[in-house]
Amino acid sequence: MSTKARSTVPGKPLGRKELRAIDAWWRAANYLCVGQIYLMDNPLLRVPLEPHHVKPRLLGHWGTTPGLTFIHAHLNRAIMARDLDLFTVTGPGHGGPAALATSWLDGTYTQTYPEVSRDVDGMHRLFKQFSFPGGVPSHVAPETPGSIHEGGELGYSLAHAYGATFDNPDLLVAAVVGDGEAESGPLAASWHSTKFVDPRRDGAVLPILHLNGYKIASPTVLARIPEEELLSLLRGYGHTPYVVAGDDPDAMHQAFAATLDHCLDEIREIQAEARASGRRPAERRAWPMIVLRSPKGWTGPEKVDGQQVEGSWRSHQVPFSNARDDDDHRKVLEEWLRSYRPEELFGDDGAPVAQIADLHPLGTRRMGANPHTNGGLLTRPLSLPDFREYAVPVPRPGSGQVEATRVLGGFLRDVMARNPETFRMMSPDEHNSNRLQDVLEVTDRTWNATTLPGDDHLATDGRVMETLSEHMCQGWLEGYLLTGRHGLFSCYEAFVHIVDSMFNQHAKWLKTSNAIEWRRPIPSLNYLLTSHVWRQDHNGFSHQDPGFIDHVVNKKADVIRVYLPPDANTLLSVADHCLRSRQYVNVIVAGKQPALQYLSMDQALVHAAKGIGIWEWAGTEPEQGAEPDVVIGCAGDVPTMEALAAVDILRREFDDLRIRFVNVVDLMRLQHEQEHPHGLSDADFDALFTTDRPVVFAYHGYPWLVHRLTHNRTNHRNFHVRGYVEEGTTTTPFDMTVLNGIDRFHLAIAVIDKVPQLRSRAGAVRERLLDKLVEHRNHVHTHGEDMAEVREWEFPYPGDPDGATGTSAG
Amino acid sequence: MSTKARSTVPGKPLGRKELRAIDAWWRAANYLCVGQIYLMDNPLLRVPLEPHHVKPRLLGHWGTTPGLTFIHAHLNRAIMARDLDLFTVTGPGHGGPAALATSWLDGTYTQTYPEVSRDVDGMHRLFKQFSFPGGVPSHVAPETPGSIHEGGELGYSLAHAYGATFDNPDLLVAAVVGDGEAESGPLAASWHSTKFVDPRRDGAVLPILHLNGYKIASPTVLARIPEEELLSLLRGYGHTPYVVAGDDPDAMHQAFAATLDHCLDEIREIQAEARASGRRPAERRAWPMIVLRSPKGWTGPEKVDGQQVEGSWRSHQVPFSNARDDDDHRKVLEEWLRSYRPEELFGDDGAPVAQIADLHPLGTRRMGANPHTNGGLLTRPLSLPDFREYAVPVPRPGSGQVEATRVLGGFLRDVMARNPETFRMMSPDEHNSNRLQDVLEVTDRTWNATTLPGDDHLATDGRVMETLSEHMCQGWLEGYLLTGRHGLFSCYEAFVHIVDSMFNQHAKWLKTSNAIEWRRPIPSLNYLLTSHVWRQDHNGFSHQDPGFIDHVVNKKADVIRVYLPPDANTLLSVADHCLRSRQYVNVIVAGKQPALQYLSMDQALVHAAKGIGIWEWAGTEPEQGAEPDVVIGCAGDVPTMEALAAVDILRREFDDLRIRFVNVVDLMRLQHEQEHPHGLSDADFDALFTTDRPVVFAYHGYPWLVHRLTHNRTNHRNFHVRGYVEEGTTTTPFDMTVLNGIDRFHLAIAVIDKVPQLRSRAGAVRERLLDKLVEHRNHVHTHGEDMAEVREWEFPYPGDPDGATGTSAG
């Protein structure tokens, strides 16, 4: 580390007065950060520091913080000088103090939380609340004004930053990437976002790779490879890197200011060039970025107890932790705080002095007040075509062969066409595989790298974003949604587990935001999970996993919704509903393979709205008021087909059996109304599933999820649930259901076994069904395809001869 | 694309005869690949191709396959020439046909599966079984000889390859990285594995980045950036890249052979230099790698139906799919197959002709027979110290303040010391944070990049692997385990969700392997999840997530185990058990904060072995044969403490209340014996939890998991489970339990509400407990720490005055 400063870009753009002012602002911000971490009283050190002024539990991270405040100081200068629409994404996990200090200094914090006033009292509150029970977390969080990025789990800062800039041509996002975070997979991949930016229509990301050298205890990889190797890496990602390295404040201020100016000029030039021509840029240009090397815990105590602290991993969290009880440590703390010369920075009233009080942009140009960071403020509803116009005709329930997601694709094409600036679709290279190709009639795949003849629908301004990284798809979409726009992520069901953890963080963001009055609701995160567990004949065991639903329902009921539309018309209705919704994570699971259709659009609309209902045409309901002998329940397209086929078998064999058929679209209807807003009351649930009759339930995913959702229902102990139990691999579609015991024959046998009046008299039927299973296995292993009778089966009971196939909820 | 070949390394090392032989081998392999994808009969085209010779369902991926066979041809040559211990990791997802063709050609397939003989019959079987019901998947899988890497979910090939080479100094792993896979986050990060290799003690990975340009439908990023940018990127990762690009087979053979020779020389030189000195290498050297640019679907039909196929995304899967029913397509297929001139390659008996029959290494040098790829063959049991010697004294149950994971660290230190070549620990920079630092007394953190004064325990030959990427930790460890060694992954509980999907794939690998006789059991994958949900006072809501357990228990019962040891001695016993086990995923959740201890080592040993048991000293058990009034159950360290504290309250208030206290270590004991091998019988379960008494259960994670595990138990409807319900953020430890209703006061109130004889007479006690909760909240918000009475609480009932604190299972 140079003791002065080293930089790629020469020049000293700051006049003496400006330099002094920026440094004073920086010192003020650093003072406020140390105060937040350590103090619960005596914020301005008006009296000597006493033990009770220090927090009993010291939490927070000092190490990254002074670098962040340094960057903020210079970004403020640039915003003012250039009237920039700019906000920051803070990648380094626990950089919370810096964001809080900045927004307190520029007034946005007080505007958001009036009780944290810009005076001694407010400073007192600012300090005490930090990492304090009932206060604010130590990382940037939804509570932090100006943030769209939680600093908890690392790796998503760049993807979030890019997502924010898409379709925001005037927006600049300064993405501070921590060198710890930079080791993570999602971050390492996100650098390639450079191939998905349109300099004409999108804003720009300025990555600032902040190398302070250490993680919790180890050095970081990027800080410890030769600089030439690092620069080679960053050039390989499509950037022009500029280095600012050193520890002398004044020299570093000049170097960083010169570098930032240079980068902003270069961004403006790239954009101006692209926008002047209006055409696709002749070649992708390398975007500028900054590598900032500064000491970990910069300006903190150099040594404590004889051990190096500044510039060492010992600065990562709280540099010394006995400041309440140890007089020596408390003395170090007081000297450290006084080293910023607070008496020069804050007036008698505790407010920043004139020199720095106005050293920030005005109004919504302040980073803490940038409206993009409270995206709900900017959200416009999607212009949606009438989804009913995309209905497929259903002449008879249980007929036809329709790819549900292909039908959805037609609807999404027109959603895309009508919302050319506020709707994007993401997919890890599965858009067409998922049968959504109609969307490419009105847009292309986003692609800013080289194209060749024969390429299919690539364009710099394409709005279908495909890259083989679920992390980037999710991260981009989150950034896009958090800044108030709309989108849909289509993904293979099994591999969406790749973003389990990102879903967690987003769901937590939504839950927390719901309790923050000033945060406006943002469009929902919509997942379309297709290529689902039952149709992996192509891929086999490694591609079978319906557990994302289980993962999702662990999160707070107010933010999650799960839909399993059984056919195309229901899917359309569900998708329309999800695209209109706010502040949820909607999971839609739907097949892409040709499948039977059940409901006309009118029926689908009612069924989707109710979320659960009796299909009277399918069952053999008893007269009004009487109970059926058995309830057959189902959720999911393949389970619905098998359940109907089981009913068919049972109706043929036992003409006096009274069967009720219940289909579930909205999975959370199964849960209790006290546990989920969509949950049914006990009375409604009992009206559907009875209080004492056997229920044979065919469920799309792991069967125990249905038990978990219904465990406190009156009739729960009569629920017999079939679902995916990790069986089957590369095989035929029907064989998959057989291997997991969810096929028509197994379901019919389950009914025979559970209905008392059948058990005694159905022995022969049971045997015939078992024979069918043997016949099936032999056929499949010989011919490699399913028997015609299951492959071409349609539901043979049209119910009402007029075609009115009633659906009613209980 | 050049129509010939372009390469960084000059030279034509292949003589004419060798060139012809290698090309013939390659043609044979390609013929076998096309046959697998398309044919179910007439394997050698002895008669003209008829519709019924073609499979009814065409599955598999042709696009990547010829590149893989090309690489295999040359790797075989190198192995023979240099007697290399080398195997391949096939990153491109569906490259299955290539691995199968190679191992059939070299005899390993027939040796493994004798029915797939090296003759016409065997070729027939080889073709028919591929992607056929009851056959083998289209990607490399556990069934594939010579594989440690499933080609299902993409992104882990490099990490697996590195994991295999650690501590295998003579091993070379050729890791073929697909350009689709290369876009994924985990793969993008894995390139940095170069900083964690010891050229003295580890083997080497030779990455071969295979650019064939397309994913399913889109081009790939790395294939479409200027070559200088790509090379800059790869140099930035720490490699010296060599390019081989073109499509002319002969020229490409020469170029690839020369390049491979050069790379292998360079690897040998780096290793020789490092090993000669024996000291830490003066500087990290760049490792060679190959960039292979070849057309997608190389040697396949150039055009079909007038559309470009070779070199296009149309080659990705099956280039044309009507070969059974469409005469023109079938003609294309026949011409394509005949273009390899099978009559020159296979004799009348169907076996490979002499020219290529022996063009492979011998015995275990064959890639399909490399013993590292069936790691259980090489596994030696760990030398384990007696874990009982690390016991902490427990003078009285419910006393002391011990960091359980720090105690474990002492044991692990000696495990590490005793197994210096077969045990590694991985952590995303949390090793010390997780209190395992004692291990660093006997080894260091693996680190091959620059070091600076003040760095803590870094060394090239360190065996604690830390990088801020859960993906790399998991991938490395999987590669290490799959090649027969042992390890442990310590991770923050919330963030282990980052590898949910990798866990899925590994668990699926284990389940599939269990059914493959020739695969030998490998050491278990051991997770130590600490920094758990109840002690995120430092970090708050974003760091709270106990759902990994829920995720894990969705997988097959034979491969998953979950342990929640309540204290240090139990943790030691559990850890010892897990390190001895094979073929499982073991999840251990244990706190790292100072906590009460309950069991002496003798008791812990018994309790851990039983996995569940009554703590008689804690409850007020009735006389033999009588039932208690209430059962208080618990699982997890913090829930155990709160449950005991609740018992304390209840004992003081109601001296006639008969309380049974049940602690669960092995979570799967709760499940039914028919569902999990560790599950209790109904009789045993009822003996513990009764058939009709209220059970108040304090569980570590999401409470519904306990309902799901116990839903079919007699007494389930009396189970009242408390756990984490997504409440709380940055706050005190006790406040976290209060916010989620799992604290002593809420638990005691739950008992009052559920036990009929208390409900009527305990109103005043209930009020006092509610007052306590209010008092707690006020205290915490004012003082920022918990009330002394909960912070310093110990269990005050020593039970047996002799200190014998009986533990018995039901």
Side-chain angles (χ1 to χ4, degrees), chain A residues 57 215-216 232 429 500 537 545 554-555 704, chain B residues 57 215-216 232 429 500 537 545 554-555 704:
Chain A
R57 294 165 56 81
K215 303 184 290 260
I216 300 181
S232 181
D429 191 38
D500 272 4
D537 17 324
D545 195 296
N554 273 345
K555 287 286 163 288
W704 34 84
Chain B
R57 293 164 57 80
K215 304 184 289 259
I216 300 182
S232 180
D429 190 41
D500 272 4
D537 19 324
D545 195 298
N554 273 344
K555 288 286 163 284
W704 32 84

PDB file of all heavy atoms in Angstrom, chain A residues 57 215-216 232 429 500 537 545 554-555 704, chain B residues 57 215-216 232 429 500 537 545 554-555 704:
ATOM      1  N   ARG A  57     -23.587  -3.860  24.264  1.00  0.00           N
ATOM      2  CA  ARG A  57     -23.300  -4.866  23.248  1.00  0.00           C
ATOM      3  C   ARG A  57     -22.865  -4.132  21.991  1.00  0.00           C
ATOM      4  O   ARG A  57     -23.628  -3.384  21.404  1.00  0.00           O
ATOM      5  CB  ARG A  57     -24.544  -5.701  22.931  1.00  0.00           C
ATOM      6  CG  ARG A  57     -25.023  -6.571  24.081  1.00  0.00           C
ATOM      7  CD  ARG A  57     -26.439  -7.092  23.842  1.00  0.00           C
ATOM      8  NE  ARG A  57     -26.583  -7.827  22.602  1.00  0.00           N
ATOM      9  CZ  ARG A  57     -26.231  -9.098  22.445  1.00  0.00           C
ATOM     10  NH1 ARG A  57     -25.715  -9.766  23.454  1.00  0.00           N
ATOM     11  NH2 ARG A  57     -26.407  -9.698  21.296  1.00  0.00           N
ATOM     12  N   LYS A 215     -11.590 -10.276   4.488  1.00  0.00           N
ATOM     13  CA  LYS A 215     -12.940 -10.674   4.855  1.00  0.00           C
ATOM     14  C   LYS A 215     -12.980 -10.702   6.397  1.00  0.00           C
ATOM     15  O   LYS A 215     -12.354  -9.869   7.027  1.00  0.00           O
ATOM     16  CB  LYS A 215     -13.237 -12.055   4.257  1.00  0.00           C
ATOM     17  CG  LYS A 215     -13.053 -12.081   2.744  1.00  0.00           C
ATOM     18  CD  LYS A 215     -13.422 -13.403   2.123  1.00  0.00           C
ATOM     19  CE  LYS A 215     -12.466 -14.530   2.457  1.00  0.00           C
ATOM     20  NZ  LYS A 215     -11.488 -14.822   1.394  1.00  0.00           N
ATOM     21  N   ILE A 216     -13.709 -11.650   6.997  1.00  0.00           N
ATOM     22  CA  ILE A 216     -13.744 -11.695   8.463  1.00  0.00           C
ATOM     23  C   ILE A 216     -12.340 -11.964   9.002  1.00  0.00           C
ATOM     24  O   ILE A 216     -11.857 -11.277   9.899  1.00  0.00           O
ATOM     25  CB  ILE A 216     -14.704 -12.802   8.980  1.00  0.00           C
ATOM     26  CG1 ILE A 216     -16.134 -12.555   8.497  1.00  0.00           C
ATOM     27  CG2 ILE A 216     -14.675 -12.858  10.515  1.00  0.00           C
ATOM     28  CD1 ILE A 216     -17.140 -13.589   8.979  1.00  0.00           C
ATOM     29  N   SER A 232      -6.489  -7.524 -15.871  1.00  0.00           N
ATOM     30  CA  SER A 232      -6.774  -8.418 -16.983  1.00  0.00           C
ATOM     31  C   SER A 232      -8.158  -9.048 -16.798  1.00  0.00           C
ATOM     32  O   SER A 232      -8.970  -9.115 -17.732  1.00  0.00           O
ATOM     33  CB  SER A 232      -5.681  -9.488 -17.036  1.00  0.00           C
ATOM     34  OG  SER A 232      -5.895 -10.366 -18.102  1.00  0.00           O
ATOM     35  N   ASP A 429     -31.990 -19.347 -20.208  1.00  0.00           N
ATOM     36  CA  ASP A 429     -31.899 -20.022 -21.511  1.00  0.00           C
ATOM     37  C   ASP A 429     -33.025 -21.032 -21.695  1.00  0.00           C
ATOM     38  O   ASP A 429     -32.849 -22.048 -22.362  1.00  0.00           O
ATOM     39  CB  ASP A 429     -30.541 -20.714 -21.650  1.00  0.00           C
ATOM     40  CG  ASP A 429     -30.285 -21.205 -23.077  1.00  0.00           C
ATOM     41  OD1 ASP A 429     -30.663 -20.491 -24.018  1.00  0.00           O
ATOM     42  OD2 ASP A 429     -29.729 -22.295 -23.235  1.00  0.00           O
ATOM     43  N   ASP A 500     -32.960 -20.314  -4.154  1.00  0.00           N
ATOM     44  CA  ASP A 500     -33.666 -20.411  -2.868  1.00  0.00           C
ATOM     45  C   ASP A 500     -33.295 -19.264  -1.946  1.00  0.00           C
ATOM     46  O   ASP A 500     -34.145 -18.623  -1.325  1.00  0.00           O
ATOM     47  CB  ASP A 500     -33.276 -21.711  -2.139  1.00  0.00           C
ATOM     48  CG  ASP A 500     -34.152 -22.893  -2.536  1.00  0.00           C
ATOM     49  OD1 ASP A 500     -35.010 -22.738  -3.433  1.00  0.00           O
ATOM     50  OD2 ASP A 500     -33.953 -23.979  -1.962  1.00  0.00           O
ATOM     51  N   ASP A 537     -39.177 -36.647 -18.568  1.00  0.00           N
ATOM     52  CA  ASP A 537     -38.853 -37.839 -19.344  1.00  0.00           C
ATOM     53  C   ASP A 537     -37.562 -37.621 -20.123  1.00  0.00           C
ATOM     54  O   ASP A 537     -36.810 -38.530 -20.418  1.00  0.00           O
ATOM     55  CB  ASP A 537     -39.992 -38.220 -20.280  1.00  0.00           C
ATOM     56  CG  ASP A 537     -41.007 -37.109 -20.530  1.00  0.00           C
ATOM     57  OD1 ASP A 537     -41.282 -36.347 -19.592  1.00  0.00           O
ATOM     58  OD2 ASP A 537     -41.494 -37.013 -21.658  1.00  0.00           O
ATOM     59  N   ASP A 545     -37.546 -32.018  -9.018  1.00  0.00           N
ATOM     60  CA  ASP A 545     -37.593 -31.493  -7.650  1.00  0.00           C
ATOM     61  C   ASP A 545     -38.709 -30.466  -7.531  1.00  0.00           C
ATOM     62  O   ASP A 545     -38.593 -29.364  -8.053  1.00  0.00           O
ATOM     63  CB  ASP A 545     -36.265 -30.865  -7.227  1.00  0.00           C
ATOM     64  CG  ASP A 545     -36.226 -30.685  -5.725  1.00  0.00           C
ATOM     65  OD1 ASP A 545     -37.067 -29.896  -5.209  1.00  0.00           O
ATOM     66  OD2 ASP A 545     -35.401 -31.305  -5.047  1.00  0.00           O
ATOM     67  N   ASN A 554     -42.464 -21.527   3.702  1.00  0.00           N
ATOM     68  CA  ASN A 554     -41.881 -21.239   5.019  1.00  0.00           C
ATOM     69  C   ASN A 554     -41.848 -19.744   5.318  1.00  0.00           C
ATOM     70  O   ASN A 554     -41.680 -19.356   6.470  1.00  0.00           O
ATOM     71  CB  ASN A 554     -40.449 -21.782   5.117  1.00  0.00           C
ATOM     72  CG  ASN A 554     -40.414 -23.231   5.565  1.00  0.00           C
ATOM     73  OD1 ASN A 554     -41.405 -23.757   6.073  1.00  0.00           O
ATOM     74  ND2 ASN A 554     -39.277 -23.886   5.395  1.00  0.00           N
ATOM     75  N   LYS A 555     -41.965 -18.919   4.295  1.00  0.00           N
ATOM     76  CA  LYS A 555     -41.883 -17.482   4.542  1.00  0.00           C
ATOM     77  C   LYS A 555     -43.247 -16.918   4.935  1.00  0.00           C
ATOM     78  O   LYS A 555     -44.255 -17.597   4.857  1.00  0.00           O
ATOM     79  CB  LYS A 555     -41.308 -16.787   3.301  1.00  0.00           C
ATOM     80  CG  LYS A 555     -39.799 -17.050   3.137  1.00  0.00           C
ATOM     81  CD  LYS A 555     -38.974 -16.273   4.141  1.00  0.00           C
ATOM     82  CE  LYS A 555     -37.555 -16.791   4.298  1.00  0.00           C
ATOM     83  NZ  LYS A 555     -37.455 -18.089   5.019  1.00  0.00           N
ATOM     84  N   TRP A 704     -46.051 -34.556   1.836  1.00  0.00           N
ATOM     85  CA  TRP A 704     -46.153 -34.093   3.227  1.00  0.00           C
ATOM     86  C   TRP A 704     -46.480 -32.607   3.319  1.00  0.00           C
ATOM     87  O   TRP A 704     -46.938 -32.152   4.358  1.00  0.00           O
ATOM     88  CB  TRP A 704     -44.867 -34.428   3.992  1.00  0.00           C
ATOM     89  CG  TRP A 704     -43.645 -34.364   3.163  1.00  0.00           C
ATOM     90  CD1 TRP A 704     -42.909 -33.274   2.860  1.00  0.00           C
ATOM     91  CD2 TRP A 704     -43.000 -35.481   2.503  1.00  0.00           C
ATOM     92  NE1 TRP A 704     -41.853 -33.619   2.063  1.00  0.00           N
ATOM     93  CE2 TRP A 704     -41.876 -34.959   1.831  1.00  0.00           C
ATOM     94  CE3 TRP A 704     -43.271 -36.844   2.435  1.00  0.00           C
ATOM     95  CZ2 TRP A 704     -41.006 -35.772   1.077  1.00  0.00           C
ATOM     96  CZ3 TRP A 704     -42.415 -37.645   1.685  1.00  0.00           C
ATOM     97  CH2 TRP A 704     -41.306 -37.119   1.021  1.00  0.00           C
TER      98      TRP A 704
ATOM     99  N   ARG B  57     -39.267 -42.208 -29.054  1.00  0.00           N
ATOM    100  CA  ARG B  57     -39.060 -40.920 -28.377  1.00  0.00           C
ATOM    101  C   ARG B  57     -37.580 -40.611 -28.437  1.00  0.00           C
ATOM    102  O   ARG B  57     -36.780 -41.337 -27.860  1.00  0.00           O
ATOM    103  CB  ARG B  57     -39.499 -40.998 -26.918  1.00  0.00           C
ATOM    104  CG  ARG B  57     -40.996 -41.193 -26.720  1.00  0.00           C
ATOM    105  CD  ARG B  57     -41.331 -41.652 -25.304  1.00  0.00           C
ATOM    106  NE  ARG B  57     -40.845 -40.730 -24.285  1.00  0.00           N
ATOM    107  CZ  ARG B  57     -41.451 -39.601 -23.934  1.00  0.00           C
ATOM    108  NH1 ARG B  57     -42.569 -39.257 -24.519  1.00  0.00           N
ATOM    109  NH2 ARG B  57     -40.950 -38.827 -23.005  1.00  0.00           N
ATOM    110  N   LYS B 215     -26.194 -22.206 -26.375  1.00  0.00           N
ATOM    111  CA  LYS B 215     -26.930 -22.930 -25.340  1.00  0.00           C
ATOM    112  C   LYS B 215     -28.139 -23.583 -26.027  1.00  0.00           C
ATOM    113  O   LYS B 215     -28.023 -24.047 -27.156  1.00  0.00           O
ATOM    114  CB  LYS B 215     -27.350 -21.938 -24.250  1.00  0.00           C
ATOM    115  CG  LYS B 215     -26.161 -21.168 -23.672  1.00  0.00           C
ATOM    116  CD  LYS B 215     -26.550 -20.257 -22.544  1.00  0.00           C
ATOM    117  CE  LYS B 215     -27.345 -19.074 -22.983  1.00  0.00           C
ATOM    118  NZ  LYS B 215     -26.564 -17.816 -23.097  1.00  0.00           N
ATOM    119  N   ILE B 216     -29.291 -23.659 -25.350  1.00  0.00           N
ATOM    120  CA  ILE B 216     -30.459 -24.260 -25.988  1.00  0.00           C
ATOM    121  C   ILE B 216     -30.836 -23.448 -27.226  1.00  0.00           C
ATOM    122  O   ILE B 216     -31.034 -23.984 -28.299  1.00  0.00           O
ATOM    123  CB  ILE B 216     -31.668 -24.327 -25.019  1.00  0.00           C
ATOM    124  CG1 ILE B 216     -31.335 -25.157 -23.776  1.00  0.00           C
ATOM    125  CG2 ILE B 216     -32.883 -24.933 -25.731  1.00  0.00           C
ATOM    126  CD1 ILE B 216     -32.495 -25.302 -22.794  1.00  0.00           C
ATOM    127  N   SER B 232      -8.013 -12.370 -21.923  1.00  0.00           N
ATOM    128  CA  SER B 232      -7.732 -11.476 -20.800  1.00  0.00           C
ATOM    129  C   SER B 232      -8.460 -11.977 -19.550  1.00  0.00           C
ATOM    130  O   SER B 232      -7.885 -12.041 -18.453  1.00  0.00           O
ATOM    131  CB  SER B 232      -8.191 -10.068 -21.184  1.00  0.00           C
ATOM    132  OG  SER B 232      -7.947  -9.167 -20.143  1.00  0.00           O
ATOM    133  N   ASP B 429     -15.402 -18.348   4.877  1.00  0.00           N
ATOM    134  CA  ASP B 429     -14.808 -17.294   5.704  1.00  0.00           C
ATOM    135  C   ASP B 429     -15.437 -17.223   7.082  1.00  0.00           C
ATOM    136  O   ASP B 429     -15.536 -16.148   7.676  1.00  0.00           O
ATOM    137  CB  ASP B 429     -14.918 -15.933   4.988  1.00  0.00           C
ATOM    138  CG  ASP B 429     -14.106 -14.853   5.684  1.00  0.00           C
ATOM    139  OD1 ASP B 429     -12.976 -15.156   6.121  1.00  0.00           O
ATOM    140  OD2 ASP B 429     -14.596 -13.720   5.788  1.00  0.00           O
ATOM    141  N   ASP B 500     -28.618 -25.017  -1.529  1.00  0.00           N
ATOM    142  CA  ASP B 500     -29.772 -25.928  -1.536  1.00  0.00           C
ATOM    143  C   ASP B 500     -29.733 -26.856  -2.746  1.00  0.00           C
ATOM    144  O   ASP B 500     -29.933 -28.072  -2.634  1.00  0.00           O
ATOM    145  CB  ASP B 500     -31.080 -25.125  -1.629  1.00  0.00           C
ATOM    146  CG  ASP B 500     -31.619 -24.707  -0.268  1.00  0.00           C
ATOM    147  OD1 ASP B 500     -30.956 -24.964   0.742  1.00  0.00           O
ATOM    148  OD2 ASP B 500     -32.708 -24.102  -0.240  1.00  0.00           O
ATOM    149  N   ASP B 537     -28.291 -11.878  16.938  1.00  0.00           N
ATOM    150  CA  ASP B 537     -28.362 -10.552  17.541  1.00  0.00           C
ATOM    151  C   ASP B 537     -27.427  -9.581  16.818  1.00  0.00           C
ATOM    152  O   ASP B 537     -27.647  -8.396  16.741  1.00  0.00           O
ATOM    153  CB  ASP B 537     -28.034 -10.604  19.030  1.00  0.00           C
ATOM    154  CG  ASP B 537     -27.296 -11.854  19.462  1.00  0.00           C
ATOM    155  OD1 ASP B 537     -27.586 -12.944  18.914  1.00  0.00           O
ATOM    156  OD2 ASP B 537     -26.425 -11.752  20.334  1.00  0.00           O
ATOM    157  N   ASP B 545     -32.658 -17.979   9.227  1.00  0.00           N
ATOM    158  CA  ASP B 545     -33.405 -18.937   8.414  1.00  0.00           C
ATOM    159  C   ASP B 545     -33.017 -20.360   8.792  1.00  0.00           C
ATOM    160  O   ASP B 545     -31.936 -20.831   8.456  1.00  0.00           O
ATOM    161  CB  ASP B 545     -33.169 -18.704   6.928  1.00  0.00           C
ATOM    162  CG  ASP B 545     -34.216 -19.450   6.106  1.00  0.00           C
ATOM    163  OD1 ASP B 545     -34.259 -20.702   6.198  1.00  0.00           O
ATOM    164  OD2 ASP B 545     -34.992 -18.799   5.411  1.00  0.00           O
ATOM    165  N   ASN B 554     -36.784 -33.335   2.687  1.00  0.00           N
ATOM    166  CA  ASN B 554     -37.553 -33.727   1.501  1.00  0.00           C
ATOM    167  C   ASN B 554     -36.865 -34.833   0.711  1.00  0.00           C
ATOM    168  O   ASN B 554     -37.490 -35.487  -0.113  1.00  0.00           O
ATOM    169  CB  ASN B 554     -37.763 -32.522   0.564  1.00  0.00           C
ATOM    170  CG  ASN B 554     -39.002 -31.714   0.935  1.00  0.00           C
ATOM    171  OD1 ASN B 554     -39.848 -32.189   1.673  1.00  0.00           O
ATOM    172  ND2 ASN B 554     -39.104 -30.514   0.408  1.00  0.00           N
ATOM    173  N   LYS B 555     -35.588 -35.041   0.934  1.00  0.00           N
ATOM    174  CA  LYS B 555     -34.866 -36.051   0.163  1.00  0.00           C
ATOM    175  C   LYS B 555     -35.022 -37.430   0.806  1.00  0.00           C
ATOM    176  O   LYS B 555     -35.497 -37.555   1.927  1.00  0.00           O
ATOM    177  CB  LYS B 555     -33.399 -35.641  -0.002  1.00  0.00           C
ATOM    178  CG  LYS B 555     -33.223 -34.474  -0.970  1.00  0.00           C
ATOM    179  CD  LYS B 555     -33.408 -34.912  -2.413  1.00  0.00           C
ATOM    180  CE  LYS B 555     -33.645 -33.724  -3.359  1.00  0.00           C
ATOM    181  NZ  LYS B 555     -34.999 -33.131  -3.295  1.00  0.00           N
ATOM    182  N   TRP B 704     -43.808 -26.047  11.793  1.00  0.00           N
ATOM    183  CA  TRP B 704     -44.630 -26.996  11.025  1.00  0.00           C
ATOM    184  C   TRP B 704     -43.838 -28.231  10.617  1.00  0.00           C
ATOM    185  O   TRP B 704     -44.437 -29.254  10.291  1.00  0.00           O
ATOM    186  CB  TRP B 704     -45.247 -26.311   9.808  1.00  0.00           C
ATOM    187  CG  TRP B 704     -44.390 -25.235   9.232  1.00  0.00           C
ATOM    188  CD1 TRP B 704     -43.377 -25.388   8.349  1.00  0.00           C
ATOM    189  CD2 TRP B 704     -44.476 -23.821   9.516  1.00  0.00           C
ATOM    190  NE1 TRP B 704     -42.820 -24.167   8.058  1.00  0.00           N
ATOM    191  CE2 TRP B 704     -43.468 -23.185   8.742  1.00  0.00           C
ATOM    192  CE3 TRP B 704     -45.302 -23.044  10.331  1.00  0.00           C
ATOM    193  CZ2 TRP B 704     -43.273 -21.812   8.773  1.00  0.00           C
ATOM    194  CZ3 TRP B 704     -45.094 -21.674  10.355  1.00  0.00           C
ATOM    195  CH2 TRP B 704     -44.089 -21.062   9.585  1.00  0.00           C
TER     196      TRP B 704
END
